[in-house]
Amino acid sequence: MKQTLFFFLMLSVFSSTYGQELRTIKDSINHYEIGVPIGWRSTILTGKSVSLVAIREKVNEQDVVRENFNIIILNKDEKDLEISFIQFKESLSKAEGFKVIEQGVEIIDNRKYMYLIETHKNKISKEDMHNYVFFTNNNGKILILTMVATSSNFERFKVLYSTIGRSLKY
């Protein structure tokens, strides 16, 4: 009985991430890899600060896709993680309706990341949005993973976004 209950509990956790497996994408220029949900479109860009864009595919014709994520790579003089993260948050705080919901520290593949979950209004659509962000500074080379959903859909994607973030190797 306990084994059956454990199986259904694990199945429900797996289902809450939409049962999506991740495929690994590697960027050999910027030296990172990350899991992208199977079925999402993704593109690695070269010569730009935005290094990767991944977008959820439509489920049907009525589906309006807002869920996506990107990785930005920036070269900065500031080499301290905490100081550069504070500067990053200050730049985000200019967005209409900006509010930090949660923030903390994650160690992923022996690298320290600052993370935050924030909400703001989309500049164009005026929809309430949530961003789940992982941020690290590798001696002045900053990696920012930003995962986006409408506020009304965020809880449905939070576990998946956490899984994507923890798949990051930099």
Side-chain angles (χ1 to χ4, degrees):
M1 179 69 179
K2 286 183 181 178
Q3 289 176 329
T4 304
L5 183 60
F6 178 73
F7 171 77
F8 284 112
L9 179 63
M10 292 308 294
L11 181 62
S12 98
V13 168
F14 186 68
S15 297
S16 71
T17 63
Y18 292 95
Q20 291 188 307
E21 293 181 47
L22 304 180
R23 73 181 193 284
T24 301
I25 299 220
K26 296 180 182 185
D27 182 331
S28 58
I29 294 171
N30 292 304
H31 309 289
Y32 70 81
E33 63 182 64
I34 190 165
V36 175
I38 292 172
W40 286 39
R41 285 182 291 132
S42 62
T43 305
I44 291 182
L45 307 168
T46 57
K48 310 239 183 240
S49 62
V50 177
S51 172
L52 170 75
V53 175
I55 302 170
R56 179 180 64 83
E57 291 285 346
K58 280 185 163 194
V59 175
N60 56 45
E61 284 306 309
Q62 292 74 35
D63 189 12
V64 177
V65 176
R66 296 283 192 261
E67 297 75 31
N68 68 84
F69 67 90
N70 64 67
I71 291 180
I72 295 174
I73 304 290
L74 302 171
N75 292 301
K76 297 288 186 180
D77 292 334
E78 183 56 61
K79 295 174 181 9
D80 182 87
L81 174 59
E82 283 78 14
I83 292 171
S84 57
F85 185 67
I86 289 168
Q87 293 168 344
F88 171 70
K89 280 196 326 185
E90 285 172 1
S91 72
L92 292 179
S93 70
K94 296 178 176 103
E96 181 183 353
F98 175 81
K99 178 182 172 188
V100 174
I101 296 170
E102 181 182 329
Q103 66 180 10
V105 175
E106 288 270 347
I107 305 297
I108 304 168
D109 197 42
N110 297 316
R111 178 171 302 284
K112 184 177 178 180
Y113 289 83
M114 307 299 287
Y115 79 89
L116 75 100
I117 298 172
E118 59 91 357
T119 186
H120 65 278
K121 285 218 179 285
N122 181 294
K123 234 190 272 191
I124 298 166
S125 71
K126 299 300 181 191
E127 288 178 280
D128 291 326
M129 305 298 290
H130 270 58
N131 285 351
Y132 193 157
V133 179
F134 285 82
F135 181 102
T136 195
N137 187 334
N138 184 9
N139 201 31
K141 192 167 186 180
I142 294 173
L143 181 144
I144 306 166
L145 166 61
T146 304
M147 298 168 284
V148 180
T150 58
S151 294
S152 60
N153 282 341
F154 180 74
E155 285 303 319
R156 289 180 41 215
F157 287 90
K158 185 176 180 182
V159 172
L160 177 61
Y161 284 175
S162 182
T163 302
I164 292 167
R166 289 183 179 101
S167 74
L168 190 58
K169 293 184 173 123
Y170 180 55

